[in-house]
Amino acid sequence: MNCILLPTSNIAQPYAQITASAQIIHVNKVLNLQVGDTLKIGELGGNLGTAIIDSIASDNIRLREVQLDTAPPAKLDVTVILALPRPKVLRRLIMDMTALGVRDIVLINSYRTQKSYWQSPLLTRLDEFVLEGLQQGVDTISPRITLQKRFKPFVEDQLASLITHNAIVAHPYGEQSFSQYLQQLSSESLSSATKTTLPSVVCIGAEGGWIDYEIELFHEQGCKAVHIGSRILRTEAAVNVILGQWLIQNNQD
């Protein structure tokens, strides 16, 4: 945790309290903070800031001089459509995408998504994984997460409304690399005197990627199939490599 996020109910200016056991353990065992030390905190859905530890008990850490005066970082202007992965991978992916600042996440069914994945109890713990990602990335605003169990109706009826400026689908056998695609966008922006804009939607498959039928449906909705090199990466690696482009641009704006 790079900051401790608290619900609004735990804040009563100029005081606040930490009651979640995992956060209390982190402050005591990982940060090794004592009474009088300053702690980075944030209000879920609100601002970031600091507070001073006033008292420490086994089930409660009282904070004083709470200052929440720093706005959270801007979200990445992107919607990630992700084929629901194996449950044990899901936690890492939600944490990583949240820490990176993804604005919207759509977990979708795919041909290679096993039906049992949709019954995983981890799907009921998405808020927990989001909180971990927010505390890692020092953010307070949760991404919007939606579940779509029917692939074709979603792609045909809803995907187009999410695409505000271009869309890509990650596919290891795409004819064009992601780098070439970005260079093309850059050239087009120079010729039209408009700012280079990254795609608003990224579609990423789980293990085994998308099948040809799915790629074709994405293509019909305007998604360009691109690859990120000759290496076949795990979903977690592909997500971080691709979204790194948005993170870099966000920090340049």
Side-chain angles (χ1 to χ4, degrees):
M1 301 178 193
N2 292 313
C3 71
I4 301 294
L5 293 186
L6 303 174
T8 302
S9 59
N10 280 33
I11 301 172
Q13 294 280 13
Y15 300 102
Q17 58 180 342
I18 302 172
T19 55
S21 58
Q23 293 177 331
I24 292 173
I25 291 171
H26 186 80
V27 171
N28 287 326
K29 304 297 185 181
V30 179
L31 300 179
N32 293 314
L33 297 181
Q34 307 295 325
V35 171
D37 289 339
T38 299
L39 177 66
K40 291 182 180 180
I41 67 168
E43 179 182 2
L44 279 168
N47 283 344
L48 295 159
T50 60
I52 295 176
I53 297 177
D54 190 52
S55 65
I56 299 176
S58 61
D59 60 349
N60 183 290
I61 295 178
R62 179 180 166 87
L63 307 174
R64 59 181 169 84
E65 297 182 36
V66 172
Q67 296 184 6
L68 297 170
D69 51 12
T70 302
K75 288 295 184 189
L76 303 185
D77 184 20
V78 64
T79 295
V80 175
I81 297 172
L82 177 71
L84 185 66
R86 287 180 298 134
K88 73 175 186 179
V89 177
L90 178 64
R91 173 179 176 269
R92 296 196 297 268
L93 283 168
I94 294 297
M95 286 178 56
D96 284 350
M97 289 189 288
T98 300
L100 285 166
V102 172
R103 184 192 59 214
D104 293 281
I105 300 170
V106 179
L107 298 176
I108 192 173
N109 194 44
S110 73
Y111 180 81
R112 293 192 169 107
T113 296
Q114 295 185 23
K115 291 182 179 180
S116 61
Y117 295 176
W118 290 103
Q119 278 73 54
S120 170
L122 292 186
L123 284 174
T124 66
R125 298 173 57 192
L126 295 182
D127 288 346
E128 174 186 329
F129 308 149
V130 165
L131 179 61
E132 292 183 69
L134 290 175
Q135 293 181 138
Q136 171 66 37
V138 192
D139 192 2
T140 66
I141 308 299
S142 301
R144 292 185 291 263
I145 302 178
T146 56
L147 307 181
Q148 297 289 341
K149 295 184 179 181
R150 301 178 64 200
F151 178 87
K152 184 177 180 182
F154 170 77
V155 173
E156 292 185 334
D157 301 334
Q158 299 183 50
L159 177 56
S161 66
L162 303 178
I163 303 173
T164 57
H165 44 266
N166 302 311
I168 59 171
V169 52
H171 185 47
Y173 307 111
E175 294 183 1
Q176 190 177 34
S177 71
F178 188 32
S179 178
Q180 292 170 332
Y181 177 76
L182 293 179
Q183 290 174 1
Q184 179 183 327
L185 288 183
S186 180
S187 297
E188 291 173 354
S189 68
L190 289 174
S191 63
S192 62
T194 59
K195 180 181 177 181
T196 301
T197 303
L198 289 166
S200 58
V201 172
V202 178
C203 308
I204 302 175
E207 291 100 347
W210 308 104
I211 62 173
D212 291 342
Y213 169 75
E214 292 167 338
I215 293 293
E216 182 58 32
L217 282 185
F218 280 129
H219 176 72
E220 291 174 1
Q221 298 302 318
C223 298
K224 177 70 175 180
V226 300
H227 65 81
I228 53 177
S230 58
R231 300 179 185 275
I232 306 299
L233 303 179
R234 291 176 301 145
T235 304
E236 307 100 290
V239 165
N240 288 308
V241 167
I242 293 172
L243 293 180
Q245 292 291 335
W246 278 259
L247 194 63
I248 291 170
Q249 177 167 300
N250 228 40
N251 289 325
Q252 292 175 340
D253 291 343

